[in-house]
Structure formats: structure tokens, C-alpha cells
């Protein structure tokens, strides 16, 4: 079985080719980038992220984002194996919440063990060759030594690496989130009063997570040293898939040497179920690289609100979810680069970014109608996306004009599992007036702009279209035309401007 799995992963065949992709989500990606002194970026390694988005039977949907490191092998393997462990008959609508959580936990365990099975032979060969090169082995020639060293490098490349994961499962219209590591899941709900409630589901398993530090402390690891180091074996995550070095050789790692048992684990933290009946909004799954790029540019204080604001803005502009997700990733990428190029205070945090992945799954949320124009029923709202934070030297904001779908494309709903009345905006109401932020441990209200508004309707003085669908001009360019004519030796009536 181990040999079959190894051959399969090396052949790049997929275990899940016959499963249908979910059409209710979109994925955007960007490769890692390091900036030079001239501001130009270069990619330092192939993209190591992975994702999955499948529709199973019985109203089951599975999504995931995987942040790989030291290669993409673990991320790629996990995305395929986890899908096979969950969507090939293991889940059905009769399962209870406890059943689903148990199946999710078992699936992660199988993924971890299965991956290590695929590298068993390589690890055995690596151990044999390492013993072959014992010091003072007079039976090994220089040429043999060189060949063995090259083979050892190949084997190390084959077996090394790991991945963190955030997985979302929707079954019976209930949402379950399973996470290992430092990726992030956000659930945005649009309420009937025009507010967006942002729920961060779970906390990252990192060196500043108090629960994780207590878990490590119970195993004999000094939490103060872990917090000070900020990393465990080169990664900020305290839970991860793969990474045989930290899983099997943790006693040889100084920071973890006192542990009584394996300190870095692949056991997921599972949140759910969250009922989605009547919920209007969207679910976001993000890789650590995307989160870090945004937080490096503006600080962590409003990162969740900023990414939700970007998604809401693109949903109002784009007609496809793939375009929405990619546009948001490109926004974060440009923002990160612009902060670096600005030379301002946070520029030092933005010299490079890792691979970025964003998965968006809409929940009864209307996309922009590509047929409608601002004069054919669409309503225009300026959107303030505040790219600022308390540590910046200056506060800036970007204002975009968005065309929202006409009123008859909106559908009202009620979330019976929430204390808020959920639904899309009612006619005549701004689609999003306030952005609230909560997480699974604390709940607080926080807006994404200083005055608490994300979307704001134009004032009553806004020009109305005439019978031809046009609005009167509201910018006078006559002075520009006069200056242009003077500079080019032409009179003010030389053909420029409206005739």
C-alpha cells in the first residue's frame, strides 16, 4: 500500500478526478516574491500552496487551503488524500455533529500517516546511506562519497517539507472548520440592517497562541523559550502536516528536546457546526502568506476588516467568483509592493511575501450583474477601503465606485442560528453600512473605517440620468482646453472639448 501511494504521488495522478468541482466558489493565487533595491520582484521558489473545492453527494461541499513549505509535496498530497478520506462515501446527511467532527479528525490522522508511508522507503534508504558515510570509512572512495552525497540530497528533497491547512465542510447546510497551523477562516454575514458581521473561526496554532503554549508546557517544553523564539523548527506553526524532521527527530531539536512525546502535531482543531440557513454572505479561506502580506503592510489590527472590504468591493464589480478571488489577491499584492516602495515606516516589513491563496465561497450572496450598467438599474455606492493602521506615518484610504445589482436581484433571509437578523439589504438601503468583527472567543464591534461605514450611498443631490440614460456633466474642463490650445498654438475653439 505504501509503495502504491508513493508511485501515485510521484506520477502526479489525482485520486479525485471524478469528483465535481464546486461552482459556488472561486480561488485566487499569487506566487512568492522578494523585492530588490530597484523595487522589482523575483520569485524565489515555485508556488507551494494548494487548495481543494469539491461538491460531494448528499449536499456535501468540501473546501481547503494548504500552505506548503520546503516544497509542495505535502500540500499536494494532503489536498488529494483528504478529499478521498471525506468525499468517497464517508459522510452523509444522517451524521450528527459529533460524527462529523470525529470523521474530520480521523481524516487528518490518515493523511499524516499516509504521507509518511509514502516516504518510508526513501527514509530507509537515507538512513542506510548516512551510515555508509560514517567518518573514517576507508572503504569509500572520493567518487563514491560524492555520488552518495548527491543521492542524499535527492532523498532529503523527496521527504522534507510540510504544510498547514484550513478546511471547510458544509453538510446539511451546516459549516464545520478544521484547521492545523496558521491559515485563516473568516465568515462574513450580511444582516438586514446593512451590517456585515465578520467572524474569525478559530485562532492560528502559532507560538503566541496561549492555548498552544499551555499544550506544549504540559509536554515539558518551556513555553517562554518558544514564545521568544517565535518559531518551531523554522516555522511559526505549532501544528502541521508532514515535516518528518520535527515529528520523528524532535528530541534532537534543542527547543523541543525536553518534550515527553511528539510536541508538533497534525490533530486539527474543529469548530462547528454553524447553521447556514438564511445566511447571506461569504466564507473566506486564506493561506498564511496572504494574511502576512496584508498585516505586514498595514498591521494586524484591521486585517480581517480590510480583506472583507476588498471581497465585498470585488463582488459588487465582478460577474465571476474566480475573477473576484484573483482580483483581491492582486490588490493585496499591489498594496504590499506599494508599501515597500513608499519607504514609509512599515516598508521594512514588506521586503518579501510568501505564496498567497484565497478561496471565496458565497452564501446566497449576489454577484454583480454584467448586463446592467449604472443607468440600467444598477445603484452606485462609493466604497471606502481604509489602507491605514496606527503604526503608519500617514492615513490613506482608497475610494472606489461600485455598481450594485438592482433591487430585484436581492433576496432576504433570516439566520435562525444567530442573534443577528441575517439577510441582504432591503430596497432603498445601503448594501453594507457597518462592518463588525468577532471571533470565536471574544466578540467586539469594529468598523473598517474611522466613522464606521464601509459602503455609503450618494447624497440626494447626485445627478439623475435623463431620458437617454445620461447624466449632465459635472466637471468643467474649459480651463484645461484653453491651456491646451495655448500650449499647442491653437485657439480655444481648436477642436478640443465638447462641440
Amino acid at each position: 500500500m505504501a509503495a502504491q501511494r508513493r508511485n501515485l504521488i510521484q506520477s502526479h495522478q489525482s485520486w479525485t478526478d471524478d469528483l465535481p468541482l464546486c461552482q459556488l466558489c472561486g480561488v485566487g493565487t499569487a506566487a512568492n516574491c522578494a523585492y530588490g533595491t530597484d523595487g522589482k520582484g523575483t520569485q524565489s521558489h515555485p508556488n507551494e500552496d494548494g487548495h481543494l473545492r469539491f461538491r460531494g453527494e448528499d449536499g456535501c461541499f468540501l473546501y481547503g487551503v494548504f500552505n506548503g513549505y520546503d516544497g509542495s509535496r505535502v500540500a499536494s498530497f494532503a489536498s488529494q488524500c483528504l478529499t478521498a478520506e471525506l468525499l468517497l462515501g464517508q459522510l452523509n446527511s444522517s451524521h450528527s455533529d459529533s460524527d462529523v467532527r470525529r470523521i474530520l479528525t480521523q481524516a487528518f490522522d490518515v493523511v499524516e500517516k499516509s504521507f509518511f508511508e509514502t516516504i518510508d522507503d526513501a527514509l530507509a534508504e537515507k538512513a542506510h546511506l548516512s551510515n555508509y558515510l560514517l567518518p573514517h570509512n576507508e572503504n569509500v572512495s572520493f567518487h563514491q562519497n560524492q555520488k552518495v552525497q548527491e543521492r542524499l540530497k535527492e532523498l532529503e528533497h523527496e521527504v522534507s517539507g510540510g504544510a498547514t491547512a484550513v478546511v471547510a465542510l458544509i453538510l446539511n447546510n451546516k459549516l464545520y472548520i478544521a484547521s492545523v497551523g496558521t491559515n485563516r477562516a473568516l465568515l462574513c454575514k450580511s444582516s438586514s440592517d446593512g451590517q456585515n458581521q465578520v467572524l474569525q473561526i478559530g485562532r492560528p496554532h502559532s507560538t503566541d497562541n496561549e492555548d498552544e503554549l499551555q499544550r506544549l508546557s504540559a509536554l515539558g517544553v518551556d513555553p517562554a523559550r518558544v514564545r521568544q523564539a517565535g518559531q518551531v523548527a523554522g516555522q511559526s506553526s505549532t501544528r502541521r502536516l508532514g515535516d518528518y524532521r520535527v515529528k520523528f527527530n524532535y528530541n534532537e531539536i534543542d527547543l523541543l528536546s525536553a518534550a515527553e512525546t511528539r510536541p508538533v502535531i497534525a490533530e486539527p482543531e474543529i469548530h462547528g457546526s454553524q447553521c447556514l440557513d438564511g445566511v447571506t454572505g461569504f466564507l473566506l479561506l486564506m493561506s498564511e502568506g496572504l494574511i502576512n502580506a496584508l498585516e505586514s503592510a498595514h498591521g494586524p489590527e484591521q486585517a480581517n476588516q480590510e480583506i472583507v472590504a476588498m471581497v465585498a468591493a470585488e463582488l459588487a464589480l465582478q460577474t465571476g467568483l474566480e475573477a473576484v478571488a484573483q482580483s483581491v489577491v492582486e490588490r493585496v499584492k499591489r498594496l504590499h509592493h506599494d508599501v515597500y516602495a513608499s519607504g514609509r515606516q512599515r516598508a521594512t516589513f514588506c521586503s518579501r511575501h510568501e505564496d498567497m491563496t484565497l478561496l471565496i465561497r458565497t452564501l446566497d450572496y449576489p454577484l454583480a450583474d454584467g448586463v446592467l450598467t449604472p443607468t440600467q438599474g444598477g445603484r452606485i455606492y462609493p466604497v471606502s477601503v481604509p489602507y491605514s493602521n496606527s503604526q503608519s506615518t500617514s492615513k490613506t484610504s482608497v475610494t472606489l465606485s461600485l455598481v450594485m445589482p438592482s433591487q430585484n436581484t436581492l433576496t432576504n433571509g433570516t439566520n435562525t442560528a444567530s442573534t443577528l437578523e441575517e439577510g441582504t439589504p432591503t430596497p432603498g438601503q445601503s448594501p453594507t453600512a457597518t462592518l463588525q468583527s468577532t471571533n470565536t472567543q471574544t466578540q467586539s464591534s469594529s468598523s473598517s473605517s474611522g466613522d464606521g461605514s464601509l459602503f455609503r450611498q450618494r447624497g440626494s443631490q447626485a445627478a439623475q440620468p435623463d431620458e437617454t440614460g445620461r447624466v449632465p456633466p459635472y466637471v468643467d474642463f474649459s480651463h484645461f482646453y484653453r491651456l491646451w490650445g495655448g500650449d499647442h498654438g491653437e485657439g480655444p475653439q481648436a477642436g478640443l472639448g465638447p462641440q
Side-chain angles (χ1 to χ4, degrees):
M1 184 63 178
Q4 292 176 347
R5 284 192 172 116
R6 185 183 180 190
N7 291 336
L8 186 60
I9 192 173
Q10 289 178 342
S11 67
H12 304 289
Q13 298 176 10
S14 174
W15 302 353
T16 53
D17 282 342
D18 295 332
L19 286 172
L21 293 176
C22 175
Q23 303 300 319
L24 300 174
C25 74
V27 178
T29 63
N32 59 91
C33 185
Y35 306 124
T37 54
D38 58 357
K40 295 182 179 180
T42 57
Q43 185 176 341
S44 57
H45 57 77
N47 196 326
E48 298 170 334
D49 282 1
H51 67 271
L52 61 89
R53 44 172 172 173
F54 291 108
R55 173 174 56 85
E57 298 178 352
D58 234 356
C60 182
F61 300 88
L62 183 67
Y63 312 97
V65 168
F66 303 85
N67 179 48
Y69 59 90
D70 293 340
S72 61
R73 292 166 298 282
V74 179
S76 176
F77 182 91
S79 64
Q80 295 183 38
C81 185
L82 194 64
T83 304
E85 290 299 322
L86 292 172
L87 292 188
L88 299 185
Q90 298 88 337
L91 290 165
N92 60 67
S93 59
S94 65
H95 282 131
S96 65
D97 286 353
S98 59
D99 291 333
V100 174
R101 287 192 287 267
R102 172 180 52 80
I103 293 171
L104 280 169
T105 301
Q106 290 176 349
F108 273 79
D109 183 57
V110 170
V111 169
E112 173 96 333
K113 291 178 179 178
S114 298
F115 177 75
F116 286 140
E117 286 179 5
T118 67
I119 64 174
D120 273 348
D121 294 343
L123 287 174
E125 183 182 355
K126 184 171 178 291
H128 172 72
L129 292 179
S130 296
N131 291 330
Y132 184 75
L133 291 180
L134 288 173
H136 312 297
N137 188 344
E138 298 177 355
N139 296 322
V140 180
S141 67
F142 174 80
H143 180 68
Q144 289 175 320
N145 185 296
Q146 190 175 31
K147 290 186 64 176
V148 170
Q149 293 284 6
E150 292 175 355
R151 178 56 182 161
L152 283 172
K153 289 182 179 179
E154 293 175 357
L155 291 170
E156 180 64 24
H157 178 74
E158 181 179 336
V159 302
S160 65
T164 60
V166 58
V167 173
L169 172 69
I170 298 178
L171 181 65
N172 295 328
N173 214 28
K174 295 179 179 179
L175 173 65
Y176 305 83
I177 298 292
S179 62
V180 170
T182 49
N183 298 332
R184 185 172 298 181
L186 296 179
L187 178 61
C188 178
K189 301 178 183 180
S190 299
S191 62
S192 58
D193 60 356
Q195 295 183 336
N196 270 353
Q197 182 191 28
V198 184
L199 183 73
Q200 178 175 327
I201 305 177
R203 295 183 59 198
H205 302 125
S206 61
T207 55
D208 57 1
N209 183 323
E210 291 298 332
D211 292 338
E212 284 297 283
L213 291 176
Q214 290 181 15
R215 182 181 67 81
L216 293 175
S217 178
L219 299 178
V221 177
D222 185 353
R225 290 188 61 197
V226 173
R227 185 195 298 276
Q228 183 179 12
Q231 290 186 335
V232 176
Q235 299 295 320
S236 62
S237 59
T238 55
R239 301 192 190 198
R240 60 190 80 159
L241 295 165
D243 203 337
Y244 85 95
R245 291 171 296 181
V246 72
K247 298 292 178 64
F248 297 119
N249 302 324
Y250 63 88
N251 286 324
E252 300 175 6
I253 301 173
D254 180 56
L255 187 64
L256 307 176
S257 59
E260 299 174 358
T261 186
R262 185 180 295 179
V264 177
I265 59 177
E267 179 181 348
E269 186 174 1
I270 299 175
H271 300 270
S273 64
Q274 170 112 18
C275 184
L276 298 178
D277 290 340
V279 173
T280 299
F282 46 85
L283 172 70
L284 307 180
L285 302 183
M286 301 173 285
S287 68
E288 180 184 5
L290 180 70
I291 302 163
N292 287 347
L294 185 56
E295 292 186 347
S296 296
H298 284 164
E301 297 85 2
Q302 296 291 323
N304 289 350
Q305 289 74 24
E306 286 193 76
I307 199 73
V308 166
M310 293 181 196
V311 171
E314 293 298 334
L315 283 170
L317 287 171
Q318 306 282 358
T319 58
L321 285 171
E322 208 75 9
V324 170
Q326 191 61 45
S327 294
V328 172
V329 171
E330 293 298 329
R331 274 184 160 200
V332 175
K333 183 178 177 180
R334 289 195 303 270
L335 169 65
H336 185 271
H337 174 269
D338 290 348
V339 170
Y340 171 77
S342 71
R344 296 195 299 266
Q345 182 178 353
R346 297 205 66 84
T348 56
F349 300 100
C350 298
S351 60
R352 61 172 293 113
H353 67 75
E354 277 301 328
D355 305 317
M356 298 189 286
T357 301
L358 170 66
L359 185 148
I360 303 173
R361 167 52 150 97
T362 54
L363 304 167
D364 195 28
Y365 195 96
L367 279 169
D369 190 337
V371 178
L372 293 178
T373 67
T375 60
Q376 293 176 321
R379 291 183 296 162
I380 302 177
Y381 297 92
V383 175
S384 178
V385 181
Y387 295 143
S388 63
N389 65 85
S390 57
Q391 300 181 18
S392 297
T393 56
S394 63
K395 182 176 182 180
T396 60
S397 65
V398 178
T399 300
L400 306 174
S401 291
L402 304 185
V403 179
M404 298 302 294
S406 58
Q407 296 172 1
N408 57 11
T409 64
L410 301 178
T411 305
N412 290 327
T414 303
N415 178 14
T416 57
S418 173
T419 57
L420 293 177
E421 270 190 36
E422 302 298 340
T424 54
T426 56
Q429 183 180 37
S430 175
T432 309
T434 305
L435 189 63
Q436 293 180 333
S437 172
T438 63
N439 58 44
T440 55
Q441 296 181 347
T442 61
Q443 180 167 337
S444 61
S445 178
S446 173
S447 68
S448 69
S449 62
D451 60 0
S453 68
L454 175 62
F455 291 79
R456 188 177 304 282
Q457 192 170 1
R458 289 183 186 267
S460 59
Q461 296 79 13
Q464 299 299 317
D466 58 22
E467 63 276 3
T468 67
R470 298 182 178 181
V471 295
Y474 49 89
V475 179
D476 184 3
F477 284 99
S478 57
H479 182 60
F480 166 77
Y481 297 140
R482 286 194 297 270
L483 292 177
W484 176 277
D487 290 342
H488 292 76
E490 301 171 352
Q493 308 297 328
L496 283 176
Q499 301 301 311

